[in-house]
Amino acid sequence: MKRFGGQRVLVTGGAGFLGSHLCDRLLDEGADVLCVDNFFTGSKKNILSIMDNSYFELLRHDVTFPLYVEVDKIFNLACPASPIHYQYDPVQTTKTSVHGAINMLGLAKRVRAKIMQASTSEVYGDPQVHPQPEQYWGHVNIIGPRSCYDEGKRCAETLFFDYHRQHRLRIKVARIFNTYGPRMHPNDGRVVSNFIVQALRGEPITVYGDGLQTRSFCYVDDMVEGFLQLMQSPDDFLGPVNLGNPGEFTMLELANKVIDMTHSVSKLVFVPLPTDDPRQRRPDISLAKEKLRWEPRIALDEGLRRTIDYFDTVLREN
Ligand code: NAD
Ligand code: UDP
């Protein structure tokens, strides 16, 4: 049984890392997919293999402008996700989250589509509650360099819930924790791609701060399955729901794992910690387990192996 058979599904940010994997899976699930992207961080390379599929359509468009299309479901993923990219033009980042949400919610309201927002663990900021459950309101700097992203995503969640209360819109909010895998941008500065690329090139591995800060890494296939299950969940389940892998690692542990797995000669170098870098992060996924029967299946070692293979190929081609 194909879960999205015959449905018209819009994926904003569909040429990005997560969006392109989601487009692949939706096509497998029988959907008619419309990918909207302005190619700020996304790339045609990510969707090359599906470009000639008759059930796939690509539209170059910036979600900060209104969009008039007819669809049944919307996954709103458009937004740069790595600190380097979202801090490059912070005003545009906030606009993408806030104006983008208003435009996509307006579209959903007009065509009565169900809509899912790609929110983030960054709504918890530098959390003082650990692990983070959905009830935690977070600890976010309002005016720092990460705020354009964190506050933009928080405001988008507010808009989703107001559209639900005010217009009875069918909404879903996923709080995504650090996700990695093939098609991450090799230069986007996120830790998994940085460490793998540095290790494969034999360059120094840049550990920010003392490397004792923690993150929990989810493999992309698990995350995309979470999106599909959330979208298909009953209408009275709105979220917000944490999606992520609860396995928690320090950046030093990650660096050493990557060096071992790549048999690299790279050495660690310690560089200053960026401002407001969260000290710890791990999702409490009890809600996702209970409501979606979802939990990640791919352990870090296996996910890293697949991601290393991907970057190895990419680096050899360039
Ligand atoms: P990405 O940068 O690879 O993808 C984002 C996509 O959105 C890109 O294709 C980009 O070109 C597009 N985009 C950006 N601004 C746009 C605009 N104004 N109009 C149209 N398209 C625009 O990042 P990703 O990792 O695939 O993240 C996808 C979504 O998931 C984002 O909303 C991000 O905030 C969220 N998220 C990701 C992670 C993660 O670890 N990957 C964690 C938390 C949340
Ligand atoms: N980090 C690091 N070296 C790098 C890139 C990142 O030590 O080359 C650290 C960063 O300081 C943070 C963690 O890795 O503590 C995750 O960073 P990333 O940018 O991937 O995600 P986020 O901070 O948004 O969770």
Side-chain angles (χ1 to χ4, degrees), residues 90-240:
V91 174
Q92 176 67 12
T93 299
T94 302
K95 277 191 191 170
T96 295
S97 279
V98 177
H99 293 189
I102 291 172
N103 289 328
M104 294 310 110
L105 287 161
L107 168 64
K109 181 177 160 222
R110 184 176 65 79
V111 300
R112 304 310 301 170
K114 198 192 277 195
I115 179 166
M116 189 202 93
Q117 167 66 357
S119 189
T120 169
S121 52
E122 293 280 339
V123 300
Y124 302 123
D126 188 6
Q128 292 171 321
V129 171
H130 193 71
Q132 294 79 55
E134 290 83 354
Q135 297 77 11
Y136 178 48
W137 287 358
H139 179 231
V140 178
N141 181 355
I142 306 156
I143 56 169
R146 297 177 84 100
S147 310
C148 58
Y149 183 73
D150 301 8
E151 295 291 11
K153 289 284 187 179
R154 284 166 68 95
C155 183
E157 286 201 21
T158 307
L159 285 161
F160 267 67
F161 277 81
D162 281 335
Y163 266 78
H164 170 70
R165 282 185 289 260
Q166 204 172 326
H167 301 295
R168 308 309 307 159
L169 217 63
R170 291 176 301 155
I171 62 153
K172 307 279 179 188
V173 174
R175 288 189 180 151
I176 305 166
F177 283 65
N178 298 61
T179 305
Y180 69 99
R183 297 190 195 149
M184 290 183 91
H185 199 297
N187 299 324
D188 79 1
R190 285 189 265 191
V191 68
V192 174
S193 42
N194 264 13
F195 284 3
I196 293 177
V197 169
Q198 290 164 342
L200 289 173
R201 288 184 174 147
E203 292 170 357
I205 307 271
T206 53
V207 175
Y208 298 169
D210 58 12
L212 296 177
Q213 69 273 35
T214 67
R215 292 293 186 275
S216 303
F217 299 104
C218 185
Y219 189 68
V220 58
D221 291 1
D222 283 330
M223 184 57 62
V224 169
E225 180 56 29
F227 293 168
L228 299 186
Q229 293 194 20
L230 177 58
M231 187 58 104
Q232 296 301 73
S233 64
D235 285 352
D236 62 357
F237 180 62
L238 316 175

Side-chain angles (χ1 to χ4, degrees), residues 16-18 37-38 40-42 62-63 77 149 153 179 190:
F17 162 51
L18 292 181
D37 207 295
N38 71 349
F40 175 51
T41 51
D62 183 326
V63 295
L77 271 65
Y149 183 73
K153 289 284 187 179
T179 305
R190 285 189 265 191

